[in-house]
Amino acid sequence: MDLSQTTFGENDLPVNFLETSDLYTHGHPFSDLLRPPKNSPDAPATIYQYWDTAGCPIRMTDIEDIFLDFAKYFGFQRDNRRNMYDHLLTMLDSRSARMTPRQALLSLHADYIGGEHANYRKWYFASQLDLDDRHSVPTTPTGQLIEEAKREWRQRMESLTDHTRVCHLALYLLIWGEAATLRYMPELICFLFKAADDYRVVINTSLVNRLRQVAPESFLDTIITPIYQFARGQSYTLVRGECIRRERDHNHIIGYDDINQLFWDRRSMARLRLRDGQFLKDIVRYEQFHVLSQIEWSSTFEKTFYETRSSLHLLTNFSRIWIIHAASFWYYMAANVDFVYLSMSGNRHDLAVKLSVIGLGGLVASLLLIMATLAEFAYLPATVQTTKILVSRILVLMVLSACHVGASVYVIQFNKVGGMVGLIVASCQLGLGAILSIVLAIVPSANLFRRQRSSHPIASKTFTAHFPGIPGDDRCLSILLWICIFSSKFLETYFFLALSFRDALGATISVRLGSCAKDTLLGNSVCRIMPILTSTLLFSVEFLLFFLDTYLWYVVWSTLFSVSQSMHQGLSVMTSWRTLFGRLPQQIIQKVVATKELDTLHLRKIACSQMWNAIVISMYREHLLSISNLQALLYQVQTTPNANDGTNNSINNTNGKEARELKVPEFFDPKGATDKEQCFPGQSEAERRLSFFAQSLSTDIPKPCSVHEMPVFTVFTPHYAEKMLLSLREIIREEDTTSRVTLLEYLKKLHPAEWENFVKDTKLIVEESENETSDRDDLPFYCIGFKSSAPEYTLRTRLWASQRAQTLYRTVCGFMNYARALKLLYRIEHPEIHATRKQQQEQQKTLLDQLAHQKFRFLVAMQRYAKFNSEEAENCEYLLNTYPHLQIAYIDEEKPKEKDQEPIYYSVLIDGNCERLPGNKRLPRYRVRLPGNPILGDGKSDNQNHALIFYRGEYLQLVDANQDNYLEECIKIRSIFREFEQ
């Protein structure tokens, strides 16, 4: 097959091998799919076609007026307003694609404000109503009160107007957009939102005249900045405008979590005091927003947890693990080595003593928990509430321990003659001790010995114990896994550890070393303590093996469960490659191209061929496959004489003389004669990727939605100083004086087949451009990948090496496959948009680009962009030119006007469509001022946090700047989103 005869569309998308327009009778107004953006200076770069319809509950102009009013009344920044306006409408538009606009508004408001899973609702119930609807029994008075509060809340949310819902969303997003590092404190954001919303209610009433008007863009300076400066002052001090880190340990720093925990409880918030001594709670609700700037934050916040580095964490954090193993070990040893504490008479009194000693396992569990509770005092502040909870727990455990000790003392010391009373006491001690051990091992210590009506734990469970629920089947499977692990462990350790240990310990204890030589220094003491020392070492080794045994059984059972689950889902490493790929075409139709009913075999074959050819062609362009491999894998169109046998298998007839037929690769035939080596190099990256793709489609994945209905999502990557693109010098120079191996030589040895394909491709390009076919000067190609030093040839070598190293280019190039996948999927869903003329193809390319950008964004948090050197700026500009829709968020630092003042920091967003400036820079699309330097703690998370306001859509995929992605994995993104649909 001559690849020059195969036509490919723009962006490496193969044009249909068939004229499919005659196969579909319905039309598609593709030209009206996307409208050009508005010319307003504040108009966003995207169009909200699904929201901006006749059925939208509130017009876009009204939403814009809401944002303008809030910026005026609350003092938000202009670029923050523009950014959050686009952010909100993008989410509304994304949901409106698969539901009505009003349902989109209701569901979005429920997710942010009023729904069951909304963080603001949880915060309101916990901090304002002092209720926790997830950790209260419905039959108790507190549970009944929660049910009543939930009904009132539901009625209140249902009675809201659509205008009010938009106001809530806009106000919350505007606060969130300017919060900067305060976004690490979500309950603080809820507190600020409530204060602002209380003021919003009276904006249009006569009461607003009594309130002071805010200065433009004052929200950041008066509310956010004071809290930020307090948090920064815990770790940094400002010296001549620069932040100098303090030498302070974590247990002396009031961190984000300490600040945030203040807003978990209304009793804590009641401590908020203004500078004039007045409490915030004594001020009318709608006036509280304007006095937030007068709060004395430095005297309000305090430590809630001491991050002390100590080995006591092993006891406090793993107390139940210790209880499970130590108590069980005591039961086993006490039952099997009774000769240590019993006489050999075998009377009834010995049975009572044995039962009592075995029952002391409950005492072991109690003592371990007492020590763990005492260790908690080292990490928690000694408040009245904390001390009361911990001391009460210790007292109850001490009482239970005293009961165990008392029972054993009675049985051993006072029940000398035996009798039924001693046996009953010992039996009760054993039974209650076993129950106590099980309870202490299963129930978390925070839930022990507390009255149900008590609503003041050490930390609110609304925020510390709010975990996503596990489906019933998965939960049963998890419980069954641990039942199997501990059942196997206890059975195996009893027969192979405990019973076998009895004889060894008995022999060791019975040893008498009376005839050993006397030492000049220690005398006979070594001989006397040797049996005791040996027995102690035996117990220690036995206890260690008892712990390790649990992990070994966990490995065994988790492997068995994993294999069984894989077999149940149709995955197995035992499946032959012919069987695996033989069922792949049908799985592509059923699980990837599943949004449209394809009536005939020909239509299904066409859809499968388009998707499969796009995948293998992308691998060929990445030099993973050779031309011969490509020929063996591609669906191809063959022209044959038209033998009209009535089966209607021909695709297109020409004057009744010949027909074009789509030939399926023999690679998909389980009984074919094609070898795997003909399709891709053995043990190659192409084989690994295609095998994983085929196996993944064997799993039970949700049916995908159409491209129109899929939600908008963003891929988010942080970048600091990672290489964007390898330079030629870095590739061909020697790494050091000892290895004498360049990076290019190393990559050539690591990927020999890919380098061979790359060289052949480069030689073909040179021959076509220079019209020469000489083989005499091939050595430069195989050495460095080019013969001419022209930039277009050296760049190819740089790109080849960069895609196989940990570079940002590799990540961007890989995850931009999402855009290619969306275009491919849309073309398969709508084959009637096939264009023939060049003008139509250009228009189609533009519309497909807009469609992909509407559904997918790629955001890079490039912290150092403003400080790049010339090489880094050039590489970054290459990325923007190659991918114009790539978005870059960076921190811009503006020097102060006066000496010793702090610089002004901004979060800035640019993309490849922004106007170019001198020095390989771009005119910002948004520029949001920050309260100060956003890099206070961990640089990576802070870099992500400042850029987070620029993401778009309903889903966010976080990847590092060294990861890769593939086209065949990108086409499954619609099914992944269906996993999250409620």
Side-chain angles (χ1 to χ4, degrees):
M1 172 184 170
D2 187 2
L3 290 179
S4 62
Q5 298 178 1
T6 304
T7 305
F8 300 100
E10 296 293 336
N11 294 328
D12 303 344
L13 286 177
V15 177
N16 299 349
F17 285 92
L18 318 173
E19 293 290 344
T20 56
S21 57
D22 58 331
L23 300 177
Y24 297 85
T25 57
H26 63 279
H28 182 74
F30 186 75
S31 59
D32 296 331
L33 176 64
L34 295 173
R35 292 168 295 188
K38 300 178 181 179
N39 296 323
S40 170
D42 286 351
T46 55
I47 299 303
Y48 320 108
Q49 60 164 354
Y50 303 111
W51 171 264
D52 190 16
T53 61
C56 69
I58 180 170
R59 296 178 300 176
M60 291 175 55
T61 54
D62 296 335
I63 298 178
E64 188 175 7
D65 290 339
I66 291 174
F67 277 86
L68 289 171
D69 291 340
F70 285 173
K72 172 184 176 182
Y73 286 115
F74 297 98
F76 296 115
Q77 300 179 53
R78 174 181 176 272
D79 275 14
N80 178 47
R81 169 182 60 81
R82 294 173 54 240
N83 181 43
M84 288 298 111
Y85 173 76
D86 183 33
H87 187 92
L88 174 60
L89 283 178
T90 300
M91 286 194 291
L92 290 173
D93 186 70
S94 175
R95 299 197 176 198
S96 300
R98 59 187 187 276
M99 61 184 73
T100 64
R102 192 168 192 279
Q103 289 175 336
L105 177 59
L106 291 174
S107 62
L108 190 62
H109 184 270
D111 287 344
Y112 272 84
I113 307 297
E116 181 180 356
H117 302 288
N119 189 61
Y120 178 75
R121 177 187 178 276
K122 292 186 295 183
W123 174 83
Y124 187 87
F125 272 61
S127 64
Q128 303 297 313
L129 305 180
D130 208 3
L131 299 174
D132 184 1
D133 58 339
R134 291 198 62 179
H135 300 89
S136 299
V137 181
T139 57
T140 62
T142 303
Q144 296 174 0
L145 182 61
I146 290 175
E147 293 300 320
E148 181 63 26
K150 290 168 66 175
R151 283 193 295 269
E152 293 180 0
W153 178 267
R154 189 180 304 110
Q155 294 173 359
R156 176 183 169 188
M157 292 296 106
E158 292 175 353
S159 64
L160 295 176
T161 63
D162 294 331
H163 184 275
T164 303
R165 293 188 179 95
V166 174
C167 287
H168 284 165
L169 292 171
L171 185 57
Y172 189 93
L173 290 175
L174 285 169
I175 295 173
W176 179 80
E178 289 201 26
T181 54
L182 271 60
R183 281 190 287 272
Y184 291 125
M185 299 167 264
E187 281 67 61
L188 170 59
I189 302 297
C190 294
F191 168 78
L192 297 177
F193 168 76
K194 184 181 183 303
D197 188 59
D198 290 338
Y199 171 63
R200 177 198 62 83
V201 175
V202 299
I203 284 180
N204 296 322
T205 65
S206 59
L207 294 175
V208 76
N209 298 323
R210 298 167 49 190
L211 302 177
R212 294 174 295 174
Q213 299 297 319
V214 299
E217 302 187 358
S218 62
F219 180 81
L220 179 72
D221 297 326
T222 60
I223 298 178
I224 300 298
T225 302
I227 306 177
Y228 162 83
Q229 290 177 346
F230 173 83
R232 183 187 63 185
Q234 296 297 308
S235 303
Y236 294 87
T237 180
L238 201 62
V239 179
R240 296 180 181 179
E242 296 184 2
C243 291
I244 308 299
R245 194 169 189 88
R246 296 174 181 266
E247 294 295 333
R248 302 176 67 179
D249 200 2
H250 286 291
N251 58 353
H252 299 298
I253 296 175
I254 300 178
Y256 296 134
D257 49 353
D258 300 311
I259 297 175
N260 189 56
Q261 191 167 337
L262 173 75
F263 303 94
W264 287 2
D265 185 71
R266 61 181 177 182
R267 285 167 292 277
S268 300
M269 289 187 290
R271 303 199 310 263
L272 294 175
R273 187 193 298 263
L274 308 184
R275 296 189 184 95
D276 59 3
Q278 188 178 9
F279 286 98
L280 180 66
K281 62 183 179 63
D282 297 331
I283 300 175
V284 182
R285 284 193 312 166
Y286 61 81
E287 292 183 352
Q288 291 182 0
F289 175 78
H290 283 287
V291 299
L292 291 178
S293 59
Q294 304 175 27
I295 295 179
E296 188 64 40
W297 299 108
S298 59
S299 61
T300 302
F301 300 123
E302 59 185 20
K303 287 291 293 182
T304 59
F305 184 82
Y306 296 111
E307 298 87 353
T308 304
R309 298 176 180 87
S310 171
S311 57
L312 292 177
H313 283 294
L314 294 175
L315 185 59
T316 57
N317 298 339
F318 304 100
S319 59
R320 288 192 286 169
I321 300 296
W322 285 105
I323 291 173
I324 291 174
H325 291 81
S328 302
F329 186 77
W330 178 275
Y331 288 129
Y332 279 5
M333 293 298 105
N336 285 279
V337 296
D338 51 354
F339 55 83
V340 176
Y341 55 86
L342 288 181
S343 63
M344 304 306 293
S345 60
N347 57 26
R348 198 168 185 178
H349 175 63
D350 290 341
L351 178 60
V353 172
K354 182 176 180 179
L355 293 178
S356 179
V357 173
I358 296 175
L360 290 177
L363 176 63
V364 173
S366 300
L367 292 177
L368 285 172
L369 192 56
I370 288 175
M371 291 187 291
T373 304
L374 290 173
E376 289 190 51
F377 281 103
Y379 307 112
L380 298 175
T383 62
V384 175
Q385 177 183 350
T386 301
T387 305
K388 179 180 178 181
I389 293 174
L390 297 182
V391 169
S392 61
R393 186 192 308 165
I394 292 175
L395 291 177
V396 174
L397 290 172
M398 291 181 67
V399 170
L400 294 174
S401 302
C403 292
H404 272 283
V405 173
S408 296
V409 169
Y410 172 78
V411 172
I412 297 174
Q413 295 294 332
F414 299 99
N415 192 34
K416 296 292 186 179
V417 296
M420 187 60 66
V421 176
L423 186 60
I424 293 175
V425 170
S427 301
C428 293
Q429 179 187 0
L430 175 60
L432 295 178
I435 295 174
L436 179 63
S437 300
I438 295 174
V439 170
L440 297 184
I442 295 178
V443 181
S445 58
N447 296 339
L448 290 171
F449 317 127
R450 296 186 61 240
R451 294 176 299 173
Q452 187 64 39
R453 295 183 180 180
S454 177
S455 58
H456 309 302
I458 295 178
S460 175
K461 292 185 180 180
T462 303
F463 308 105
T464 60
H466 189 81
F467 306 109
I470 303 177
D473 293 342
D474 294 342
R475 188 173 184 84
C476 292
L477 200 63
S478 176
I479 295 174
L480 179 61
L481 170 65
W482 288 107
I483 290 176
C484 292
I485 290 173
F486 282 108
S487 299
S488 302
K489 173 200 170 49
F490 290 140
L491 287 174
E492 182 262 342
T493 51
Y494 179 78
F495 288 104
F496 293 95
L497 284 180
L499 290 181
S500 61
F501 183 66
R502 175 187 177 94
D503 296 335
L505 184 64
T508 304
I509 293 178
S510 61
V511 171
R512 295 293 181 266
L513 301 176
S515 61
C516 61
K518 183 176 181 181
D519 187 78
T520 56
L521 296 178
L522 302 178
N524 293 328
S525 59
V526 176
C527 295
R528 290 195 300 268
I529 67 172
M530 186 58 67
I532 300 176
L533 181 61
T534 305
S535 302
T536 304
L537 291 177
L538 285 175
F539 269 108
S540 301
V541 173
E542 194 81 0
F543 190 55
L544 179 62
L545 293 176
F546 196 80
F547 264 92
L548 293 177
D549 190 68
T550 306
Y551 176 72
L552 295 177
W553 279 112
Y554 171 78
V555 173
V556 171
W557 279 108
S558 61
T559 303
L560 293 176
F561 271 66
S562 300
V563 171
S564 62
Q565 285 291 96
S566 299
M567 298 292 290
H568 176 71
Q569 295 178 357
L571 294 176
S572 175
V573 294
M574 305 299 294
T575 304
S576 66
W577 73 272
R578 293 187 183 276
T579 304
L580 182 66
F581 289 104
R583 60 193 182 191
L584 182 58
Q586 185 66 23
Q587 290 173 343
I588 290 178
I589 296 297
Q590 294 177 350
K591 299 184 178 181
V592 181
V593 190
T595 59
K596 195 170 187 175
E597 293 295 334
L598 302 176
D599 300 329
T600 65
L601 176 62
H602 292 296
L603 299 184
R604 293 192 290 270
K605 187 183 295 184
I606 291 169
C608 181
S609 67
Q610 288 179 297
M611 184 162 296
W612 177 254
N613 284 355
I615 292 172
V616 296
I617 289 172
S618 69
M619 291 186 176
Y620 169 75
R621 294 182 181 274
E622 295 171 7
H623 308 107
L624 302 179
L625 300 173
S626 64
I627 294 181
S628 60
N629 298 145
L630 187 64
Q631 292 175 346
L633 292 174
L634 277 179
Y635 280 83
Q636 302 180 33
V637 177
Q638 290 185 342
T639 303
T640 59
N642 185 17
N644 192 2
D645 57 359
T647 59
N648 196 24
N649 286 328
S650 61
I651 296 172
N652 192 20
N653 296 331
T654 304
N655 297 327
K657 297 181 179 180
E658 61 181 21
R660 294 192 301 163
E661 183 179 357
L662 187 61
K663 180 182 177 182
V664 180
E666 292 186 4
F667 175 71
F668 290 136
D669 186 2
K671 300 180 180 179
T674 302
D675 294 331
K676 187 166 59 172
E677 289 74 15
Q678 298 177 1
C679 302
F680 34 68
Q683 305 298 322
S684 64
E685 179 71 3
E687 179 184 5
R688 183 192 67 82
R689 284 171 49 175
L690 291 177
S691 299
F692 179 82
F693 175 68
Q695 286 190 347
S696 66
L697 293 187
S698 300
T699 61
D700 185 16
I701 61 177
K703 183 178 179 180
C705 60
S706 66
V707 176
H708 274 303
E709 296 177 349
M710 69 174 289
V712 180
F713 70 104
T714 298
V715 175
F716 192 15
T717 299
H719 176 271
Y720 180 71
E722 295 87 349
K723 275 291 179 181
M724 285 178 281
L725 196 65
L726 295 176
S727 65
L728 190 61
R729 174 181 173 83
E730 292 171 325
I731 295 173
I732 63 177
R733 73 176 181 181
E734 296 176 355
E735 288 296 319
D736 52 60
T737 58
T738 57
S739 66
R740 299 295 183 183
V741 176
T742 65
L743 177 60
L744 184 59
E745 289 295 331
Y746 173 74
L747 293 176
K748 286 160 56 178
K749 291 295 183 181
L750 201 61
H751 311 282
E754 298 173 26
W755 176 253
E756 181 74 18
N757 297 334
F758 170 76
V759 170
K760 291 180 180 179
D761 193 21
T762 305
K763 289 172 59 180
L764 182 63
I765 294 175
V766 172
E767 291 172 359
E768 291 179 351
S769 61
E770 299 180 0
N771 295 324
E772 60 179 33
T773 59
S774 175
D775 295 335
R776 292 175 297 177
D777 299 328
D778 287 350
L779 184 60
F781 289 108
Y782 287 96
C783 289
I784 56 177
F786 57 87
K787 182 173 66 174
S788 171
S789 60
E792 58 269 22
Y793 297 120
T794 59
L795 180 62
R796 282 177 53 84
T797 302
R798 293 174 58 195
L799 295 180
W800 184 89
S802 298
Q803 284 187 312
R804 287 151 184 83
Q806 294 189 350
T807 61
L808 180 63
Y809 175 79
R810 176 193 183 193
T811 302
V812 173
C813 185
F815 282 90
M816 277 298 181
N817 281 320
Y818 277 129
R820 297 176 57 198
L822 293 177
K823 298 174 189 178
L824 171 64
L825 292 170
Y826 190 85
R827 289 169 62 95
I828 293 176
E829 290 179 7
H830 303 280
E832 67 276 9
I833 67 173
H834 178 70
T836 56
R837 291 183 294 181
K838 183 176 181 180
Q839 182 179 3
Q840 293 177 339
Q841 291 178 358
E842 290 296 328
Q843 182 183 10
Q844 181 188 116
K845 176 180 178 297
T846 302
L847 295 176
L848 284 174
D849 285 340
Q850 293 179 0
L851 173 68
H853 179 61
Q854 184 186 35
K855 294 295 184 180
F856 159 70
R857 313 291 174 86
F858 197 138
L859 176 62
V860 180
M862 200 169 284
Q863 178 181 335
R864 295 177 49 254
Y865 174 83
K867 300 180 180 180
F868 277 171
N869 56 36
S870 58
E871 180 185 351
E872 292 174 320
E874 182 181 353
N875 292 337
C876 183
E877 191 65 22
Y878 175 80
L879 290 178
L880 291 175
N881 292 332
T882 306
Y883 303 103
H885 293 307
L886 175 66
Q887 296 179 324
I888 294 176
Y890 66 93
I891 300 172
D892 193 15
E893 183 177 338
E894 186 177 291
K895 295 183 179 180
K897 298 180 180 179
E898 299 181 6
K899 191 178 180 180
D900 296 340
Q901 282 189 347
E902 183 181 0
I904 302 176
Y905 295 89
Y906 296 87
S907 288
V908 184
L909 180 71
I910 61 171
D911 57 32
N913 296 314
C914 292
E915 180 183 346
R916 294 187 181 184
L917 298 176
N920 283 327
K921 302 300 180 183
R922 299 273 181 162
L923 183 67
R925 185 175 298 276
Y926 300 112
R927 196 166 185 261
V928 180
R929 184 162 61 92
L930 301 173
N933 190 347
I935 311 299
L936 296 182
D938 180 34
K940 185 175 182 179
S941 59
D942 285 339
N943 183 26
Q944 291 174 307
N945 179 65
H946 96 86
L948 189 61
I949 58 176
F950 299 123
Y951 92 92
R952 293 294 183 266
E954 303 177 61
Y955 297 97
L956 193 64
Q957 182 181 5
L958 302 179
V959 298
D960 281 334
N962 55 9
Q963 294 183 242
D964 200 359
N965 202 10
Y966 318 119
L967 178 63
E968 64 271 17
E969 299 305 310
C970 292
I971 63 177
K972 297 183 289 188
I973 187 63
R974 299 176 301 169
S975 297
I976 295 175
F977 288 145
R978 292 299 292 266
E979 290 278 358
F980 299 98
E981 293 296 322
Q982 298 179 356

